Amino acid sequence: MHSLIQKAARSHRLSLEELTFLLSAAELTEDLAAAADEARKRYVGDGVHLRGLIEFSNICRQNCCYCGLRRDNQHLQRYRLEPTEIVKLAENAKALGFATIVVQGGEDVFFTAEILAEVVTAIKKLDVAVTLSVGERSRQDYQLWREAGADRYLLRIETTDASLYEKLDPGMSHANRRRCLQDLKELGYEVGTGSLVGLPGQGLESLAQDILFFQEIDADMLGIGPFIPNPDTPLGHEPPGDFPLTRRMVSLIRLLIPDANIPATTAMGTILPGGREIALASGANVVMPNVTVGEARLNYALYPGKICANDSPAKCRSCMEGRLRSMGRFVATGQGFRQRNTTERGLS
Ligand code: 5AD
Ligand code: SF4
Ligand code: FES
């Protein structure tokens, strides 16, 4: 095995140059995945946490150039679920056995902090972990939701290259995004972040920087997905992100932050059939099946071709269970909080 992979597996530390080299090394993809799979088994085990994802609104005040929910996209049927509908979906997900509910939406200002706090309070009564993913908000909002019982928050940094970020997310500030992540950490959330792989103008060194950033902020969860061009956006004609490169990102993150929760993302399963399973065998330990139903399920169209758009929550739940079993893995019990392993990492 390549000495740098051994070094990563042993010390969980690599320099920017070393990371950049490994990200460039297509021929090391399998070896990296094997090392990451071993680390995954040792640190987080064979159980795979399923998080039930509710996509409650596709209305967004932002205009990210890669995303189908961007406010200038006129080709999208917009929807917004009622708070009572969101809670109903959570109840169904709980009945299907999901122990974490993820409440995700575009940056829809209809959902005031108070309305979302009520949603959180209602879902927490189901005895599940609640993850919010509703974009950039004030510290006060984050605090209110934390007090209402929210356990986790997902906010991808998308890219740590501030000028690329501000070019692709017009009107948004990279500093504010970092501020949000900092506030969330300070408020005691488990914090998930992550990036897109293959954005136009994004180099390998920038992806290496992303990994160092995740380590620096001690992220609890890391969601990584390939950029998938959406014809209804300004980046519709750009080439998609590379699957093997995305896979090397996942593997390197497992090696460098071995006790993190890492989802096999829907985008990985969309860009390549069986892509989620490959991710699960390359360091990932979480899957986030969609538990939304009806029109909403079809219209949360970040990118085209999203898998499972025509399936039901029950179908995805049993499908995933079968897929995991055939890989020698199983659905983990419990709410799946990050289990910090300080001794393995030599930090005790
Ligand atoms: N391809 C892949 N992922 C995308 N996202 C948004 N648009 C795309 C796209 N075209 C991701 C962003 C965002 C998450 C909800 O979806 O990283 O954080
Ligand atoms: Fe809105 Fe998020 Fe899409 Fe940007 S990536 S347009 S903030 S939903
Ligand atoms: Fe949705 Fe297989 S996970 S159909």
Side-chain angles (χ1 to χ4, degrees):
M1 190 174 287
H2 195 283
S3 61
L4 278 183
I5 302 180
Q6 283 175 346
K7 178 178 172 184
R10 246 195 330 260
S11 70
H12 313 300
R13 272 181 209 289
L14 289 176
S15 68
L16 182 68
E17 294 70 30
E18 291 167 335
L19 280 168
T20 308
F21 167 75
L22 287 173
L23 285 170
S24 76
E27 71 284 3
L28 295 179
T29 305
E30 296 297 336
D31 286 355
L32 263 177
D37 196 44
E38 199 177 295
R40 187 272 308 155
K41 195 178 176 69
R42 184 143 42 94
Y43 283 86
V44 296
D46 286 335
V48 173
H49 298 284
L50 297 188
R51 322 289 202 196
L53 177 63
I54 300 174
E55 294 165 336
F56 69 89
S57 169
N58 70 353
I59 297 170
C60 188
R61 64 177 164 179
Q62 302 294 4
N63 215 19
C64 306
C65 293
Y66 41 81
C67 177
L69 307 195
R70 67 199 306 271
R71 66 170 183 265
D72 285 354
N73 181 12
Q74 311 279 328
H75 303 278
L76 185 65
Q77 184 78 39
R78 302 283 174 170
Y79 72 88
R80 171 187 283 150
L81 300 184
E82 294 289 333
T84 51
E85 294 176 285
I86 304 173
V87 176
K88 191 53 130 255
L89 289 172
E91 285 166 0
N92 291 344
K94 164 80 184 182
L96 287 172
F98 288 97
T100 290
I101 305 298
V102 183
V103 178
Q104 184 169 75
E107 293 198 12
D108 181 353
V109 290
F110 168 85
F111 288 91
T112 60
E114 290 72 24
I115 293 176
L116 274 174
E118 283 172 23
V119 170
V120 170
T121 304
I123 298 179
K124 280 305 285 183
K125 294 208 175 101
L126 303 172
D127 188 29
V128 290
V130 172
T131 306
L132 282 174
S133 179
V134 298
E136 298 185 17
R137 303 285 288 241
S138 68
R139 185 182 173 106
Q140 287 86 332
D141 289 6
Y142 291 151
Q143 181 163 359
L144 187 72
W145 301 331
R146 182 85 185 113
E147 286 162 2
D151 303 282
R152 311 191 182 114
Y153 203 97
L154 305 180
L155 184 75
R156 289 186 179 176
I157 193 75
E158 314 291 3
T159 170
T160 46
D161 179 338
S163 68
L164 180 64
Y165 178 84
E166 290 177 6
K167 192 168 124 200
L168 295 181
D169 301 330
M172 297 177 81
S173 125
H174 202 258
N176 193 52
R177 205 150 184 94
R178 285 171 178 262
R179 187 276 303 163
C180 289
L181 290 169
Q182 175 80 31
D183 280 345
L184 291 162
K185 266 270 169 198
E186 287 172 11
L187 290 166
Y189 284 92
E190 274 202 347
V191 173
T193 186
S195 32
L196 282 164
V197 175
L199 290 169
Q202 179 189 45
L204 294 178
E205 186 173 308
S206 167
L207 289 170
Q209 287 283 14
D210 292 356
I211 300 178
L212 292 177
F213 172 75
F214 303 152
Q215 237 183 349
E216 178 192 314
I217 68 165
D218 191 27
D220 302 298
M221 308 173 284
L222 283 315
I224 305 296
F227 160 65
I228 302 174
N230 183 330
D232 295 333
T233 66
L235 302 183
H237 296 289
E238 298 290 339
D242 180 59
F243 183 88
L245 173 59
T246 311
R247 193 176 163 207
R248 292 195 293 286
M249 276 293 281
V250 167
S251 297
L252 282 166
I253 292 167
R254 170 60 65 205
L255 291 171
L256 266 60
I257 315 177
D259 57 10
N261 282 321
I262 304 178
T265 56
T266 305
M268 287 188 84
T270 298
I271 202 161
L272 184 75
R276 285 176 305 178
E277 289 79 356
I278 295 174
L280 287 169
S282 310
N285 72 318
V286 172
V287 181
M288 298 168 63
N290 192 336
V291 298
T292 321
V293 298
E295 291 291 287
R297 192 173 175 106
L298 291 173
N299 288 321
Y300 201 81
L302 306 166
Y303 46 76
K306 210 166 133 203
I307 49 170
C308 304
N310 292 301
D311 300 299
S312 69
K315 161 92 192 298
C316 287
R317 164 76 216 213
S318 63
C319 169
M320 213 55 236
E321 207 160 324
R323 287 174 187 235
L324 293 177
R325 212 171 308 116
S326 72
M327 315 174 51
R329 307 277 283 277
F330 56 89
V331 177
T333 53
Q335 297 185 342
F337 285 90
R338 180 186 188 184
Q339 304 290 316
R340 282 178 185 277
N341 194 327
T342 48
T343 46
E344 283 276 12
R345 299 177 71 188
L347 301 176
S348 56

